[in-house]
Amino acid sequence: MTTADLHRMTGAYALHALPPDEREDFERHLEHCELCVEETAELSATAARLGLATFATPAPVMREQVLRRITTVRQDNPGGPVPTRSVGAARRMRTMSRWALAACVAAAGLGGATVWQHQRAEEARGQARAAEQSVDEITAVLTAPDARTSTARLADGATGTVVVSGGRDKAVFLASGMERPPSGKVYQLWFDDHGTMRSAGLMDPDRTDQAVVMAGSLDGASGMGITVEPEGGSRRPTSDPVAVMAFTA
């Protein structure tokens, strides 16, 4: 796989759409490509906005227009012209670009399908405002100039990504494909203060894919962990960690 091919994987990676071997290749590439790190963070922020946009209904014609354009739209190489590629690599990357675009369309369609009843309008508006504020906080971290990303495989094929911004003094955890916790339980996030765990809030037990702003400031934390706790959370971890991730230096 060439460097040119790796440059074109930012969109698929942001949507967790790469197979394991290509994801590993791309994550090694991220260690020394600032352009791809920046573009991946921006695309992750866009995906988060699409997934959380529960108060907008796209026009019915949008799906037809996007599907028609999938065959002609390709992702540009970050920071410069597109290098020459082999026929096989070009075909593979065209397929991946279509996959990423289709995933975006699906996220927008699923997120925008909510119908509110009139008697719940005020409640819905309040939820929308809260969701918008959450998206803005997530986007601020994901697009911060100093954003640092760490990704780990979780149980049963799930993926966890933590994005840390020292300038924002915040961290965002993005989960993809996490199993729901047992009944009466919830996933709790923790900051790892060099061996001491500090609560960073709870995840939504009903969602397998979500982006969460970790509660509290970084305050020098070296990493994060996830445990399964009783509803409402715990003051200290009471179970073995589901995941432990170090923050990228």
Side-chain angles (χ1 to χ4, degrees), residues 75-87:
Q75 179 181 323
D76 289 334
N77 199 46
V82 178
T84 302
R85 305 187 308 282
S86 67
V87 173

Side-chain angles (χ1 to χ4, degrees), residues 15-220:
L15 293 166
H16 305 290
L18 291 176
D21 56 338
E22 293 189 2
R23 182 171 63 246
E24 291 176 2
D25 289 342
F26 184 74
E27 287 172 354
R28 285 193 292 268
H29 172 70
L30 284 178
E31 294 176 0
H32 52 78
C33 182
E34 294 183 3
L35 285 173
C36 283
V37 168
E38 180 179 353
E39 183 166 293
T40 298
E42 292 173 351
L43 291 172
S44 296
T46 300
R49 282 187 175 275
L50 287 171
L52 293 174
T54 59
F55 45 85
T57 303
V61 72
M62 178 181 177
R63 179 177 182 276
E64 179 182 347
Q65 292 174 339
V66 172
L67 291 177
R68 185 170 61 251
R69 295 188 60 189
I70 283 176
T71 58
T72 61
V73 177
R74 59 182 172 84
Q75 179 181 323
D76 289 334
N77 199 46
V82 178
T84 302
R85 305 187 308 282
S86 67
V87 173
R91 183 180 298 111
R92 183 171 64 256
M93 295 319 299
R94 280 199 301 271
T95 301
M96 190 59 66
S97 295
R98 295 176 188 177
W99 218 65
L101 183 55
C104 279
V105 174
L110 290 174
T114 304
V115 179
W116 296 335
Q117 298 178 359
H118 177 71
Q119 60 268 32
R120 299 182 61 190
E122 289 303 320
E123 177 186 349
R125 290 192 189 98
Q127 292 174 346
R129 286 192 293 269
E132 185 175 4
Q133 181 179 0
S134 176
V135 170
D136 289 341
E137 292 177 353
I138 291 169
T139 302
V141 174
L142 298 184
T143 60
D146 65 341
R148 295 170 288 137
T149 302
S150 299
T151 299
R153 296 180 186 175
L154 309 180
D156 300 311
T159 301
T161 299
V162 60
V163 182
V164 178
S165 168
R168 294 281 181 179
D169 199 25
K170 284 289 184 181
V172 169
F173 178 70
L174 302 101
S176 175
M178 284 189 73
E179 284 195 344
R180 290 181 174 86
S183 178
K185 300 288 186 177
V186 67
Y187 289 120
Q188 186 162 355
L189 303 176
W190 305 89
F191 282 116
D192 181 359
D193 293 332
H194 302 279
T196 301
M197 307 307 284
R198 168 168 50 98
S199 179
L202 306 177
M203 298 178 65
D204 185 339
D206 295 323
R207 299 181 61 185
T208 59
D209 300 319
Q210 57 186 293
V212 183
V213 179
M214 297 180 66
S217 61
L218 296 176
D219 198 21

